């Protein structure tokens, strides 16, 4: 369908007092036009942030955005004020809450643990999409709660600068063999190459850092695992480039809640202890192979024979929803289809299969080393072709 007609289709579905979810899913599945902030709105509905009743939208958004400000106050501003006040006078620091107090309930203990998590997040978010300038640029809507120059308290930025903890001790790579970052994405050799913006400004990556830090504080069971930055990046980018400035202004809070909802569906992939359970990542990786076996037994046998295990490549594909395999605009297009999938991420397995079958000739000819290189640095960049193939696989059931 031509773009204006497609936009009209979306506007019609979104114009109803109650959005017809199945119609919306069907439209989004084939890709959402960027125009008029349609994608931002559709994603918010598909990720269960906005209800289907339109009349409830404005009150819900206000409530959630206020709640997010509350999180900022409790988790970043309060500890920052406490830290700043401690610097002023030492007499009031009783032994009970002394920095060296080994008691696990000590506020200080929590503070130092948080710093470990913060350093890991900091290291990862500074490297988001290094081929794009966006995340290094200042946001038009810096968080005034935090950046008010009158503030004496310690911000996350200052915390990172002051924390001498060696972040190397924090790097927890989950899947031995698999490197979570893609060879495509070259990273600058040192973090000092990043300009820290002057006071009163903040870069988009700093906003992403805050979102992840608050998520980690609110979800101590999973906290922060490397790779979550790759899930939050495309969401935040989409909301922070919304043509509607009223929504764009609240990109941080809206991203936080959409990310939280999305993580509640995929978090099991990030929890190592669940790897081998039915909801864990190993099961899903094996499902990619069993689906491939159904669709293309010759290719399946070849990969088996070369002992190319799905965890060598599918771990990253599945855990990070393909966000590392393609350029950001293409990742966003794939996510339109993934979020629209009512069986939630069944379609992702088919996309992975499509990616394998589209390079089957090369894989059938290649040896182990060559094939590993193909799979770790996927050669096809046309996502429309991949999605079309995945849809064919879906329809051929």
């Amino acid at each position: 369908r031509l773009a204006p007609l497609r936009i009209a289709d979306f506007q019609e579905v979104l114009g109803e007092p109650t959005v017809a979810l199945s119609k919306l899913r069907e439209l989004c599945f084939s890709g959402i036009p960027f125009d008029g902030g349609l994608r931002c709105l559709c994603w918010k509905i598909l990720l269960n942030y906005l209800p289907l009743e339109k009349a409830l939208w404005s009150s819900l958004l206000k409530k959630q955005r206020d709640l997010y400000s509350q999180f900022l106050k409790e988790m970043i501003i309060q500890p920052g004020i406490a830290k700043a006040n401690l610097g002023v006078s030492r007499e009031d620091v009783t032994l009970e809450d002394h920095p060296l107090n080994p008691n696990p309930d000590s506020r200080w203990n929590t503070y130092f643990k948080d710093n470990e998590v913060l350093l890991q997040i900091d290291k990862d978010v500074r490297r988001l999409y290094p081929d794009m300038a966006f995340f290094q640029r200042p946001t038009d809507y810096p968080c005034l709660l935090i950046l008010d120059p009158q503030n004496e308290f310690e911000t996350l930025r200052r915390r990172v600068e002051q924390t001498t903890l060696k972040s190397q001790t924090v790097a927890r790579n989950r899947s031995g063999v698999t490197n979570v970052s893609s060879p495509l994405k070259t990273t600058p050799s040192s973090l000092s190459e990043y300009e820290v913006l002057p006071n009163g400004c903040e870069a988009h990556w700093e906003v992403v850092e805050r979102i992840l830090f608050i998520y980690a504080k609110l979800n101590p069971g999973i906290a922060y695992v490397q790779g979550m930055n790759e899930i939050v990046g495309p969401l935040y980018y989409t909301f922070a480039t919304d043509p509607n400035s009223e929504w764009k202004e609240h990109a941080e809070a809206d991203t936080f809640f959409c990310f939280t909802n999305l993580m509640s569906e995929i978090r099991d992939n990030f929890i190592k202890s669940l790897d081998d359970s039915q909801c864990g990542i190993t099961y899903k990786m094996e499902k990619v192979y069993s689906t491939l076996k159904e669709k293309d037994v010759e290719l399946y046998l070849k990969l088996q024979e070369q002992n190319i295990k799905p965890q060598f490549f599918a771990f990253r594909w599945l855990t990070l929803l393909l966000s590392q395999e393609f350029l950001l605009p293409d990742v966003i297009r794939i996510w339109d289809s993934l979020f629209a999938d009512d069986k939630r991420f069944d379609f992702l397995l088919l996309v992975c299969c499509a990616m394998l079958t589209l390079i089957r000739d090369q894989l059938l000819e290649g040896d182990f080393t060559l094939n590993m290189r193909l799979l770790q640095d996927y050669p096809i960049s046309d996502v429309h072709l991949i999605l079309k193939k995945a849809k064919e696989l879906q329809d051929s059931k």
Side-chain angles (χ1 to χ4, degrees):
R1 301 282 306 265
L2 297 163
L5 287 174
R6 271 188 63 70
I7 293 168
D9 289 345
F10 274 92
Q11 285 167 338
E12 189 184 334
V13 172
L14 294 165
E16 296 291 323
T18 300
V19 176
L21 188 58
S22 56
K23 272 191 201 163
L24 184 69
R25 282 188 192 283
E26 202 179 313
L27 281 175
C28 294
F29 187 81
S30 317
I32 307 169
F34 172 74
D35 311 69
L38 283 175
R39 177 174 280 124
C40 308
L41 180 54
C42 292
W43 279 17
K44 285 172 182 145
I45 297 169
L46 294 173
L47 291 170
N48 304 317
Y49 177 46
L50 284 179
L52 298 175
E53 292 74 34
K54 230 170 133 176
L56 303 174
W57 287 358
S58 59
S59 62
L60 176 117
L61 288 171
K62 184 177 180 336
K63 190 176 116 237
Q64 296 301 86
R65 289 160 180 176
D66 290 348
L67 177 61
Y68 187 73
S69 297
Q70 206 43 50
F71 292 155
L72 291 178
K73 287 177 189 147
E74 282 168 29
M75 286 167 227
I76 294 176
I77 295 176
Q78 288 303 331
I81 290 173
K83 175 84 193 298
N85 291 347
L86 281 174
V88 184
S89 69
R90 298 296 311 171
E91 302 87 88
D92 58 346
V93 183
T94 57
L95 194 60
E96 246 164 69
D97 213 16
H98 187 274
L100 299 177
N101 176 9
N103 172 4
D105 301 330
S106 145
R107 273 215 320 261
W108 278 103
N109 202 329
T110 316
Y111 180 84
F112 290 130
K113 272 214 173 59
D114 288 351
N115 279 356
E116 284 187 33
V117 175
L118 179 59
L119 279 181
Q120 177 65 56
I121 294 173
D122 190 73
K123 211 169 70 184
D124 292 345
V125 293
R126 286 171 186 259
R127 306 190 278 225
L128 265 177
Y129 291 95
D131 46 348
M132 288 175 60
F134 173 80
F135 286 97
Q136 307 305 324
R137 286 206 190 111
T139 159
D140 299 337
Y141 301 101
C143 179
L144 300 176
L145 267 177
I146 287 174
L147 291 180
D148 176 359
Q150 258 48 67
N151 284 338
E152 285 303 309
F153 73 80
E154 189 189 40
T155 57
L156 290 187
R157 184 194 287 184
R158 280 189 218 149
R159 261 173 97 158
V160 170
E161 286 164 6
Q162 290 169 8
T163 300
T164 49
L165 248 171
K166 290 282 168 284
S167 48
Q168 280 72 355
T169 53
V170 188
R172 295 197 198 97
N173 192 347
R174 283 205 31 221
S175 59
V177 243
T178 319
N179 174 11
V180 180
S181 64
S182 153
L184 280 173
K185 314 269 166 101
T186 47
T187 53
S189 52
S190 78
L191 295 182
S192 60
E193 291 176 33
Y194 290 111
E195 297 289 298
V196 168
L197 297 169
N199 280 341
C201 301
E202 57 180 347
H204 288 294
W205 67 262
E206 295 187 77
V207 182
V208 175
E209 175 166 274
R210 230 182 356 251
I211 292 169
L212 286 164
F213 182 71
I214 288 182
Y215 178 82
K217 290 282 291 170
L218 288 171
N219 297 275
I222 179 171
Y224 172 75
V225 181
Q226 201 182 4
M228 287 181 182
N229 54 315
E230 305 291 351
I231 301 281
V232 106
L235 284 175
Y236 175 74
Y237 174 81
T238 300
F239 294 165
T241 54
D242 191 328
N244 175 349
S245 57
E246 215 174 309
W247 290 71
K248 185 174 165 178
E249 186 178 342
H250 298 285
E252 180 176 350
D254 293 348
T255 301
F256 172 80
F257 290 107
C258 287
F259 172 69
T260 301
N261 291 357
L262 178 55
M263 280 305 297
S264 70
E265 299 184 31
I266 62 170
R267 59 181 281 168
D268 295 349
N269 295 347
F270 286 92
I271 300 178
K272 196 164 171 44
S273 58
L274 290 177
D275 277 1
D276 299 320
S277 72
Q278 200 147 34
C279 50
I281 188 73
T282 310
Y283 175 77
K284 294 182 182 114
M285 290 191 292
E286 278 159 9
K287 198 116 169 44
V288 171
Y289 267 18
S290 59
T291 312
L292 180 66
K293 189 177 175 183
E294 267 169 53
K295 307 287 182 190
D296 189 339
V297 74
E298 189 189 356
L299 180 56
Y300 166 77
L301 290 171
K302 171 76 179 185
L303 295 174
Q304 286 288 40
E305 174 201 320
Q306 291 190 345
N307 202 14
I308 292 182
K309 296 184 170 30
Q311 49 268 45
F312 296 161
F313 59 93
F315 177 84
R316 191 174 74 209
W317 292 5
L318 294 167
T319 309
L320 304 182
L321 307 181
L322 295 168
S323 63
Q324 284 275 284
E325 311 317 309
F326 303 100
L327 295 170
L328 187 58
D330 296 327
V331 171
I332 288 170
R333 168 62 195 91
I334 291 173
W335 285 17
D336 287 344
S337 297
L338 295 183
F339 296 165
D341 169 20
D342 60 343
K343 296 204 177 51
R344 266 312 195 247
F345 308 120
D346 272 13
F347 188 66
L348 177 58
L349 300 174
L350 293 167
V351 175
C352 294
C353 274
M355 287 168 69
L356 294 171
T357 55
L358 284 170
I359 55 170
R360 76 184 301 267
D361 296 349
Q362 289 146 282
L363 289 170
L364 290 172
E365 277 168 32
D367 60 7
F368 176 85
T369 317
L370 213 65
N371 286 346
M372 281 296 292
R373 196 171 302 147
L374 276 174
L375 293 168
Q376 294 247 324
D377 196 354
Y378 189 74
I380 297 178
S381 57
D382 180 352
V383 296
H384 298 278
L385 180 69
I386 294 167
L387 290 167
K388 189 169 159 243
K389 183 72 186 168
K391 185 82 182 92
E392 281 166 23
L393 293 175
Q394 189 180 48
D395 295 341
S396 71
K397 280 195 165 162

